Amino acid sequence: MTLLPAAAKAVSPPRSRPRVRARGNALVGWGFAGPFAAVFVLVFLAPIGYAFQLSLMRDRLIGGTDFVGADNYVQALTDARFWEGSARVGLFLLVQVPIMLGIALLVALAIDSGRLYGKAFFRVAVFLPYAVPAVVAGLMWGFIYGPRFGLVGNLNEALGLSLPDPLSPSLILASIGNVVTWEFVGYNTLIFYSALKVVPRSLYEAAAIDGAGEWRVVTAIKLPAIRSALVIATIFSIIGSFQLFNEPSIMQNLAPNAITTSYTPNLYTYSLAFSGQQHNYAATVAIVMGVLTAIIAYAVQLRGMRKG
Amino acid sequence: MITNPADAPSDTVERAVRPRAVPDTAVEPGRTPVARPPKARPRRPKRPHTPLNPRPSVPLTLVTGLVLVYTLLPLVWLVINATKNQQDLFDSFGLWLGKDFRLWDNISRTLTYDDGAFVRWTLNTLLYVAAGAGGATLLAVLGGYALAVYEFPGRRAVFAVVIGAVAVPGTALAVPTFLMFSGMGLANTPWAVIIPSLVSPFGLYLMWVFAAEAVPSELLEAARIDGAGELRIFFTIALPLLRPGTVTVLLFSMVATWNNYFLPLIMIKDPDWYPLTLGLNAWSAQARTAGGEPVFDLIITGSLLTVVPIVVIFLLLQRHWQSGLAAGSVKE
C-alpha cells in the first residue's frame, strides 16, 4: 500500500516562497535531488519502459523474439481468466472498501468528538495492525478461520454449531476482505483523524452558538472539511484492491482449492511470469491492469474533487 | 510540530498561568508565629463541559470499543497460542491457555529449528531495513529539501512524474524489474531487495511539504550572506529543522521494508537470503508439501517474534506517526 500524507489538498506541490537565488542554483538543486531521481529512474521508469517493450514481443520456439505488435494485448483482452480475476477484485472493491472506510470514518469521528473515555488508547490501539506484516496477518487470520484448531473450529465444538467454513471457495473472498479490513482500518482512521484535527475549532464554537447539534456539525462542517482526505483514502484503497496479492498468496497454503493461480490479476501475472515463464504475456497483463487501475482511480478523483 | 492547543492537557496550561500559592505563614503583628497544620490544597474545579469540551459518553465508547476488540482479538489470539505446543493447539480453546505453558520452549525451538534459519532471516531483515529504509530516508530528505528550497529546471516535472508513479501499481513493475535485475546479475542477491526499497515517493512528498514549512528562507539567505556554502547550510541549518519529518519518513520506511513480502518473493530464491516474511511463509507451505513436517507452533511463535519489535518501536515513537501524517495538512 502506498502512502500519502493525509489531507494533501488535491495533490499539488506546496507553495514555495520567493527565495534568494543560491549560487549555481540549477546545479545545486539537481545535486540534492539527483540521488533520488537516479534510483527512481532505475526502479520506476526503466521497468515501465521495459514492460512496454516486452509486451510487444513474443518468444519464438527456438531462441530469439519476434515483434508481434498488439497481439499480446488482444490475447489479454480476450483472456477469460484475466477478466474473471478483474471481476473478482472489482467485487472486492465495491464491498470491502466502503466497509473499511466507513468504519475508519466512524472511529475517527468518535475519537475527534472528544466524547470517548481513553481517547489516546483508542488512537494507538486501532492503528496497531498497520505495523503487523501482511504475512503475519494472513497466517494469523488463516489459523483463526481454520476448522481444525482455529476459533471457528472451537466455536463449532463448544456450541455444537456448524458454522460455514471461512476457507471454503464460496466464502474465501469475504475472509480475505476481512483480513485486509483488519490491516488497514486503523491506518485510514489515522488519516481521517489527522485531517479532522486541523479543522479550526472556532467553527465548532460558531456552530454551537447557532444551535447546531452534533450530527449537524459532522455533516455540515467535518465531512466537507476532510473531503480531500476521503478522496485520497478512496483512491489508495482502490489501487490496493486492484493489486490484491499478499493475502490471497499467503492464504493459498491454507485454502489451495479455493484460491487458484489466477484468483486475482496480480496472482495471475505472478504465476505467468514465474511458473509459466511467459514473461511477455505477464508484462502485458500487468500493463493492462495498471491502465485499468489508473483510469478508475482518475475517475474517482475527478468525481471526488468536483465541487459538490 | 502541529500541536493543537485544544489537545494540550488543560492543567498544564492553567498551571503555567496560575500564581504560586502564597506561603501560609502570614504573621499577625504582635504575635509569635505558630506553625499551623498545613491546609489541604483546594481541589482545582473541573473545567465545565462546553461544546468544545464535551462530557465523555458511555454508549459511544462501547460502540467504538467493539472496533477495538476486533482490532486486538487476533493479536491476543497470537500471544495466547504462542504458549502452546502442537498438541495443545489442536486440543485447547483458542482464547484460553493450554495444558502446558510452552512459550520459552517454543521460542528456543523457533530460534534453533532448521539450523537457526529464523535467526538468519532476522539478520537479513535487519540488513534490508537498515540499508533500505535508511537509504530511502536519506534520498527523500535530500530530494524533498531540493524541491522545497531550490528553483531548478525540471522541478515541476519531478513532481508530476513522482505523483504519477505513486498511482502505478507497484506489482505491475515487479516482473520487468525482476527481468532487468536478472540481466544485471543482481537477482537473488540482497541488492535486489535493497535498491527498489530506496525509492519512497511518499517520503519525498512528505519531506518536500515539511521542508517548505520548516526551513525559513530568511535563515538560508542570512547564511548565504555570511558566506556559508550550500552543503554546510544543509547540514548545519536545515537538517536539524527537518528532524521531525525525517523521523516520520524513517518510521514509515522501516515498517514498509520490515513487512515487505512481494518484492523479496520475486527477487530472492535462496532461503539463506530470505527476510522473516518469506521464511514464515515457507514454514507455512511446509505443512502442505509431501513429507514436510507441519510446524504450526513455530509459525505462530515466529509470527509473534516478528511482530514484537515493530510494535515496540511503534509504541515508543507513536507521536511521530501522528505528526507525520498531519504534516500534509498544516494550516496557517
Side-chain angles (χ1 to χ4, degrees), chain A:
Chain A
M1 182 93 191
T2 344
L3 301 155
L4 259 190
K9 275 165 229 33
V11 190
S12 63
R15 278 194 323 267
S16 56
R17 295 176 286 259
R19 294 176 187 285
V20 163
R21 302 184 71 78
R23 284 179 304 274
N25 222 329
L27 213 63
V28 178
W30 273 112
F32 276 108
F36 181 95
V39 186
F40 182 82
V41 167
L42 179 70
V43 301
F44 263 90
L45 302 187
I48 291 175
Y50 188 45
F52 189 66
Q53 183 193 332
L54 280 172
S55 72
L56 301 176
M57 304 283 184
R58 202 171 279 181
D59 279 338
R60 274 208 307 271
L61 287 174
I62 312 154
T65 52
D66 277 342
F67 177 82
V68 295
D71 283 10
N72 288 323
Y73 288 92
V74 172
Q75 188 188 340
L77 293 174
T78 54
D79 184 340
R81 297 177 75 186
F82 169 72
W83 286 114
E84 199 187 310
S86 303
R88 195 172 283 118
V89 292
L91 173 68
F92 182 92
L93 184 156
L94 289 175
V95 177
Q96 186 264 339
V97 171
I99 291 176
M100 174 179 73
L101 295 183
I103 297 174
L105 183 60
L106 289 177
V107 176
L109 286 169
I111 296 175
D112 185 66
S113 74
R115 300 179 74 95
L116 288 180
Y117 290 93
K119 170 179 150 178
F121 176 71
F122 270 99
R123 220 172 39 204
V124 175
V126 89
F127 189 48
L128 206 55
Y130 182 71
V132 175
V135 171
V136 172
L139 290 171
M140 205 163 59
W141 276 102
F143 284 140
I144 290 174
Y145 292 147
R148 284 193 301 167
F149 61 84
L151 280 182
V152 173
N154 289 157
L155 287 173
N156 284 346
E157 272 173 44
L159 306 174
L161 299 169
S162 54
L163 293 171
D165 174 10
L167 295 173
S168 64
S170 56
L171 284 182
I172 190 78
L173 191 63
S175 301
I176 293 171
N178 175 52
V179 178
V180 177
T181 303
W182 181 82
E183 284 180 281
F184 291 108
V185 144
Y187 170 72
N188 287 300
T189 300
L190 200 68
I191 285 188
F192 296 153
Y193 176 70
S194 302
L196 283 168
K197 249 185 19 185
V198 295
V199 178
R201 302 273 131 181
S202 54
L203 288 179
Y204 303 153
E205 261 170 26
I209 290 166
D210 289 346
E214 188 117 7
W215 184 243
R216 190 65 208 275
V217 170
V218 167
T219 53
I221 300 177
K222 292 189 177 186
L223 290 182
I226 63 166
R227 183 195 183 107
S228 59
L230 289 168
V231 172
I232 283 177
T234 308
I235 289 173
F236 281 103
S237 303
I238 288 171
I239 293 174
S241 301
F242 275 125
Q243 291 196 53
L244 191 62
F245 178 90
N246 289 354
E247 295 78 10
S249 156
I250 290 146
M251 288 163 77
Q252 237 173 357
N253 288 325
L254 302 161
N257 306 326
I259 302 177
T260 57
T261 52
S262 58
Y263 194 75
T264 71
N266 251 328
L267 272 172
Y268 189 36
T269 309
Y270 175 79
S271 53
L272 280 174
F274 294 96
S275 321
Q277 296 299 317
Q278 300 188 52
H279 293 153
N280 303 85
Y281 189 46
T284 313
V285 172
I287 289 176
V288 172
M289 202 60 218
V291 170
L292 209 60
T293 309
I295 290 171
I296 291 178
Y298 188 62
V300 168
Q301 180 173 358
L302 284 185
R303 262 202 68 82
M305 292 302 175
R306 225 176 33 203
K307 289 283 164 269

Side-chain angles (χ1 to χ4, degrees), chain A residues 12-19, chain B residues 1-2 140-151 155-156 159 203-221 234 238-239 241-246 327-332:
Chain A
S12 63
R15 278 194 323 267
S16 56
R17 295 176 286 259
R19 294 176 187 285
Chain B
M1 267 327 291
I2 314 88
V141 171
L142 290 171
Y145 173 77
L147 291 169
V149 166
Y150 298 102
E151 284 288 346
R155 179 168 158 268
R156 295 264 149 196
F159 176 79
L204 181 81
Y205 178 82
L206 191 74
M207 285 316 299
W208 180 357
V209 175
F210 197 85
E213 293 289 341
V215 183
S217 48
E218 296 80 7
L219 261 185
L220 301 178
E221 284 155 28
F234 173 73
L239 213 49
L241 291 172
L242 294 175
R243 189 173 303 137
T246 309
S329 52
V330 185
K331 284 224 184 83
E332 289 300 309

